[in-house]
Amino acid sequence: MELRVLQYFLAVAREQSISGAAESLHLSQPTLSTQLKAMEDELGKQLLIRGTKGSRKVTLTEEGMILRKRAEEILQLVKRTEDEITLADETVVGDVYIGTGETDIVRLMAKAAKKIQEQYPEIHYHISSGNAEYVLEYLDKGLIDFGLIYGTADPQKYESIPIPVKDTWGVLMRRDSPLAQKECIQPEDLWDKPLIVSHQKSDNPYLARWLKQDISKLNIVATYNLVFNASLLVDEGLGYALTLDKLINTEESNLCFRPLYPQLDAAACIVWKRYQVFSKAADKYMQQLKYTFALS
C-alpha cells in the first residue's frame, strides 16, 4: 500500500466525491478510480460505496472508516519523521508533541517551554487534550513525544518522572446551591445529590474510596471529558461536578469551588515510551522540564 494512494483515499473521504477529490488532487477521475480500486483489490475489502447515477456522493464502508483513521495516523507520523530527519543538524529546531488532561500543572510545562524559547526560538509546541486512555494511545502510536497522566503508567512500556505538585479534588457548584455555604465538602454531603463526574475510569477508585460509596450506586446524572462542558451543566443547575481545582475561573461567575474533606489530591507524572529516541527539540524540552520540576 503506497502512501500516495492513502492520500488519495483521504481526499475522497474528505470530499465525499471521487470527482471532487480528483479535482483537488489534479488527477483525472479515471486515474483516481483505478488507484482506489487497486487498493481495494490489494486489501480484499470494499472501502467505498459509490453513489448511483443520480447521486455522486461516496460513503465509507466500515472497513473504509477504519482505514481513514489509520491513514490519518500513518501520514501524520510520516510527516513528523520527515521533519525530524530534515531538521537533524546542529541547529535545534522542530516540534514537540504533548498529550495532557485538563490541569493547572500545564503551567509548569508552559514555564519550561517559555524558558527554552529564549535559547531555541524555532522549537514549536503542539498540545493535545484528552484523558489518560487518549494520551497513552497516542504515545503508543508515536503521535506525541510526552504525556501527562494521573496515577502511574506500566513501567514495562513507559518511562516516567513524577510531577512535584498535585491537584486537589473538589466540587464545582452554583453559588446558590445548599452546599455552597460550606467551606469544604464531606462524603455524606454528596450521597443524595445529583453528581457530574469524569468518565475517566482511572478516577473512580480514588473517588469511590473518598466517597465511601460505589460510584455506580450514587446519583450520577452526567459524565464529562472536558471540565468546561461540565461547568456549563453545573451552571444550568443539572448537578454538582466533582473535578480538580484551578480549572474553572469562578471569579465574578455564578459558580464556586469547594475542596473535599478529608483532602483528596491527584498525583500526576510525565510519561514517554521506553527506549524512545527523541528529536533534538524534544530532548531539549525534556531536560528543561526536569529542571523546572526540580525548582518547584
Side-chain angles (χ1 to χ4, degrees), residues 190-252:
L190 300 175
W191 290 348
D192 62 345
K193 299 295 188 295
L195 302 180
I196 302 168
V197 301
S198 166
H199 66 53
Q200 182 164 303
K201 293 181 180 179
S202 59
D203 291 336
N204 288 353
Y206 302 101
L207 290 174
R209 283 197 292 270
W210 181 88
L211 285 163
K212 303 175 184 178
Q213 294 280 344
D214 186 327
I215 293 286
S216 64
K217 295 180 180 179
L218 296 171
N219 182 18
I220 307 299
V221 296
T223 64
Y224 68 86
N225 184 33
L226 298 175
V227 176
F228 176 74
N229 290 338
S231 73
L232 299 181
L233 300 181
V234 173
D235 196 33
E236 291 299 322
L238 189 64
Y240 296 79
L242 284 161
T243 185
L244 299 173
D245 61 344
K246 302 176 185 176
L247 295 181
I248 298 296
N249 183 2
T250 57
E251 295 295 327
E252 299 181 1

Side-chain angles (χ1 to χ4, degrees), residues 35-48:
Q35 294 282 352
L36 295 172
K37 184 63 171 62
M39 182 168 62
E40 289 180 317
D41 292 342
E42 179 184 352
L43 295 173
K45 295 289 184 180
Q46 182 180 359
L47 303 172
L48 304 168

Side-chain angles (χ1 to χ4, degrees), residues 16-18 48-59:
Q16 297 184 327
S17 163
I18 293 178
L48 304 168
I49 301 174
R50 281 83 171 165
T52 61
K53 290 184 178 181
S55 172
R56 295 187 177 183
K57 183 177 180 180
V58 172
T59 56

Side-chain angles (χ1 to χ4, degrees), residues 14-294:
R14 180 186 67 242
E15 302 291 339
Q16 297 184 327
S17 163
I18 293 178
S19 60
E23 182 177 354
S24 69
L25 295 167
H26 305 291
L27 294 173
S28 69
Q29 184 172 333
T31 298
L32 179 56
S33 296
T34 300
Q35 294 282 352
L36 295 172
K37 184 63 171 62
M39 182 168 62
E40 289 180 317
D41 292 342
E42 179 184 352
L43 295 173
K45 295 289 184 180
Q46 182 180 359
L47 303 172
L48 304 168
I49 301 174
R50 281 83 171 165
T52 61
K53 290 184 178 181
S55 172
R56 295 187 177 183
K57 183 177 180 180
V58 172
T59 56
L60 301 182
T61 63
E62 183 176 350
E63 291 80 5
M65 288 187 285
I66 293 172
L67 180 61
R68 179 179 62 182
K69 183 174 185 296
R70 297 305 182 198
E72 289 170 346
E73 294 167 355
I74 289 168
L75 293 175
Q76 183 178 354
L77 189 56
V78 168
K79 175 63 167 59
R80 284 192 56 199
T81 304
E82 290 174 344
D83 289 346
E84 289 171 4
I85 292 174
T86 302
L87 300 172
D89 53 26
E90 292 305 313
T91 302
V92 181
V93 300
D95 300 282
V96 178
Y97 293 83
I98 303 165
T100 177
E102 292 179 292
T103 167
D104 192 64
I105 293 172
V106 172
R107 289 185 180 276
L108 288 180
M109 303 174 78
K111 287 181 179 179
K114 174 60 178 175
K115 185 66 178 178
I116 208 170
Q117 186 185 53
E118 298 170 4
Q119 187 174 359
Y120 305 107
E122 292 303 315
I123 294 179
H124 304 284
Y125 303 89
H126 308 275
I127 297 180
S128 301
S129 299
N131 58 23
E133 290 84 357
Y134 167 94
V135 170
L136 295 178
E137 178 185 357
Y138 268 52
L139 270 179
D140 290 342
K141 293 176 179 176
L143 300 178
I144 57 176
D145 299 303
F146 313 106
L148 187 160
I149 65 170
Y150 288 98
T152 58
D154 182 354
Q156 299 298 318
K157 295 178 63 178
Y158 309 102
E159 300 279 0
S160 66
I161 53 174
I163 296 174
V165 298
K166 297 181 179 180
D167 287 323
T168 301
W169 281 96
V171 181
L172 187 68
M173 66 188 81
R174 288 170 58 108
R175 292 185 183 276
D176 58 4
S177 300
L179 294 184
Q181 305 306 313
K182 300 173 67 71
E183 292 185 3
C184 55
I185 304 301
Q186 297 177 297
E188 55 270 23
D189 295 329
L190 300 175
W191 290 348
D192 62 345
K193 299 295 188 295
L195 302 180
I196 302 168
V197 301
S198 166
H199 66 53
Q200 182 164 303
K201 293 181 180 179
S202 59
D203 291 336
N204 288 353
Y206 302 101
L207 290 174
R209 283 197 292 270
W210 181 88
L211 285 163
K212 303 175 184 178
Q213 294 280 344
D214 186 327
I215 293 286
S216 64
K217 295 180 180 179
L218 296 171
N219 182 18
I220 307 299
V221 296
T223 64
Y224 68 86
N225 184 33
L226 298 175
V227 176
F228 176 74
N229 290 338
S231 73
L232 299 181
L233 300 181
V234 173
D235 196 33
E236 291 299 322
L238 189 64
Y240 296 79
L242 284 161
T243 185
L244 299 173
D245 61 344
K246 302 176 185 176
L247 295 181
I248 298 296
N249 183 2
T250 57
E251 295 295 327
E252 299 181 1
S253 80
N254 193 38
L255 305 179
C256 62
F257 179 89
R258 298 290 182 265
L260 303 183
Y261 183 83
Q263 183 171 316
L264 181 64
D265 292 329
C269 62
I270 297 292
V271 298
W272 62 96
K273 288 197 297 185
R274 289 183 68 86
Y275 316 117
Q276 172 82 11
V277 178
F278 289 129
S279 66
K280 288 184 179 181
D283 184 64
K284 291 292 184 183
Y285 180 69
M286 170 55 78
Q287 297 308 315
Q288 182 61 48
L289 200 58
K290 290 178 178 178
Y291 182 74
T292 301
F293 287 170

